[in-house]
């Protein structure tokens, strides 16, 4: 789970933001119109003496088409959501303990897997050694051919085993903890990250916090907020450990 979060964070950090992703409109790309479900666009409108920032639905035929939403209004409402999304300290501590336990289990699992694979590798190598001995002890060409074919098959198994070993050895257990730390920095105080981070930090925060686009109605404000797993679990008063470690 947290390896996936870490990969998402790294991907977003390297991702080139679109030209229309500016610090002026950080909610662009995540907030959709509640009526047509298309993403809102955003721009500055020029008045007689000054410019005004708005989010707007441009979907043809939508009841909210071209009905502007003040930037200050929608972003202030969004900040309330961020403030309310911060999990309680005791829930974060519990989640951290559960995840640390998962990390230890993961480390043990890797060790057991490598031991089992090494045992299997020795078994296959022993079979090869036995067939080589048989070849040296027989003069029947038909048997030698059978033994050689079997050796070739076993050698392919050894190659597959070596690939499996290398794959498992690439598992970075320490990176599991790094992923957890990065994730908790984001969810501990999302509002602080939002207020103090640059546009890239804000986009990362949005990707991590929400499982889908948020919907906004010009008349009713934000609809139901669906947080991404595992935040939606950590935020509950009673946290299911089994869901945390899936």
């Amino acid at each position: 789970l947290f390896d996936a979060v870490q990969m998402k964070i790294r991907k977003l950090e390297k991702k080139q933001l679109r030209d229309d992703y500016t610090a002026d409109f950080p909610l662009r790309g995540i907030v959709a119109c509640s009526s047509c479900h298309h993403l809102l666009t955003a721009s500055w409108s020029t008045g007689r003496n000054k410019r005004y920032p708005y989010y707007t639905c441009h979907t043809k035929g939508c009841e909210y088409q071209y009905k502007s939403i003040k930037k200050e209004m929608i972003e202030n409402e969004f900040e309330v959501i961020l403030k309310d999304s911060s999990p309680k300290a005791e829930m974060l501590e519990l989640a951290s303990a559960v995840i640390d336990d998962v990390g230890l289990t993961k480390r043990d699992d890797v060790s057991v897997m490598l031991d089992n694979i090494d045992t299997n590798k020795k078994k296959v190598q022993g079979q090869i050694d036995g067939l080589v001995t048989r070849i040296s002890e027989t003069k029947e060409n038909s048997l030698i051919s059978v033994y050689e074919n079997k050796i070739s098959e076993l050698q392919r198994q050894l190659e597959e085993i070596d690939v499996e070993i290398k794959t498992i050895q690439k598992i970075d257990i320490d990176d599991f903890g790094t992923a957890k730390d990065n994730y908790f920095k984001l969810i501990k105080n999302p509002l602080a990250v939002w207020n103090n981070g640059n546009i890239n930090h804000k986009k990362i925060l949005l990707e991590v916090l929400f499982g889908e686009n948020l919907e906004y109605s010009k008349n009713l404000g934000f609809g139901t907020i669906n947080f991404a797993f595992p935040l939606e679990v950590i935020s509950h008063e009673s946290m299911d450990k089994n869901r945390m470690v899936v």
Side-chain angles (χ1 to χ4, degrees):
L1 165 64
F2 281 88
D3 292 336
V5 172
Q6 179 77 330
M7 287 178 65
K8 177 182 285 189
I9 291 173
R10 287 175 175 171
K11 181 180 178 181
L12 287 167
E13 286 174 340
K14 296 177 181 179
K15 185 177 180 180
Q16 184 68 37
L17 293 177
R18 284 171 26 187
D19 291 339
D20 60 354
Y21 279 164
T22 69
D24 292 340
F25 301 103
L27 292 180
R28 182 172 12 214
I30 189 69
V31 178
C33 172
S34 63
S35 179
C36 66
H37 312 298
H38 285 82
L39 291 173
L40 298 178
T41 186
S43 61
W44 289 88
S45 177
T46 302
R48 179 172 299 179
N49 298 313
K50 61 183 298 187
R51 300 168 70 219
Y52 301 91
Y54 293 102
Y55 287 86
T56 314
C57 176
H58 280 194
T59 304
K60 185 176 181 180
C62 178
E63 62 178 310
Y64 293 122
Q65 183 183 11
Y66 302 138
K67 294 184 178 180
S68 300
I69 303 165
K70 291 182 178 180
K71 165 185 163 70
E72 181 181 13
M73 181 173 69
I74 188 173
E75 291 183 6
N76 284 347
E77 290 181 35
F78 179 71
E79 289 186 5
V80 172
I81 292 172
L82 291 182
K83 182 178 179 180
D84 292 342
S85 71
S86 299
K88 293 183 178 180
E90 57 267 29
M91 300 308 295
L92 285 173
E93 290 177 6
L94 176 58
S96 180
V98 170
I99 295 164
D100 286 342
D101 184 54
V102 173
L104 292 174
T105 301
K106 188 175 181 181
R107 188 185 301 273
D108 291 340
D109 288 346
V110 169
S111 179
V112 170
M113 282 191 291
L114 288 174
D115 287 344
N116 290 339
I117 293 172
D118 185 61
T119 297
N120 186 40
K121 182 177 181 179
K122 290 177 179 177
K123 179 180 178 181
V124 173
Q125 185 61 58
Q127 292 175 326
I128 292 175
D129 293 342
L131 289 170
V132 170
T133 299
R134 290 187 184 185
I135 289 176
S136 66
E137 294 175 348
T138 186
K139 296 181 179 179
E140 295 186 26
N141 290 333
S142 59
L143 282 177
I144 291 175
S145 178
V146 170
Y147 294 154
E148 287 177 340
N149 288 336
K150 183 61 178 177
I151 288 174
S152 295
E153 179 183 334
L154 291 171
Q155 286 176 331
R156 284 194 293 272
Q157 289 184 30
L158 281 182
E159 291 173 358
E160 292 173 358
I161 289 172
D162 286 337
V163 170
E164 186 177 5
I165 289 174
K166 290 179 180 179
T167 300
I168 294 175
Q169 287 175 335
K170 288 181 180 179
I171 297 176
D172 190 344
I173 303 300
D174 293 331
D175 199 46
F176 184 85
T178 301
K180 186 203 78 170
D181 291 341
N182 288 339
Y183 181 79
F184 272 65
K185 286 178 183 178
L186 290 172
I187 69 170
K188 185 177 181 179
N189 192 342
L191 183 57
V193 175
W194 184 259
N195 287 333
N196 300 321
N198 59 31
I199 186 62
N200 227 11
H201 296 147
K202 291 179 179 180
K203 289 300 176 183
I204 292 172
L205 180 69
L206 293 173
E207 289 277 350
V208 170
L209 288 187
F210 304 107
E212 56 190 27
N213 291 332
L214 307 180
E215 293 199 342
Y216 188 87
S217 165
K218 178 177 174 63
N219 297 327
L220 302 175
F222 283 100
T224 302
I225 304 299
N226 294 315
F227 291 107
F229 181 80
L231 178 59
E232 55 97 6
V233 178
I234 299 174
S235 298
H236 284 103
E237 293 296 330
S238 57
M239 184 171 58
D240 185 345
K241 177 178 178 179
N242 290 327
R243 291 198 66 195
M244 283 297 301
V245 300
V246 170

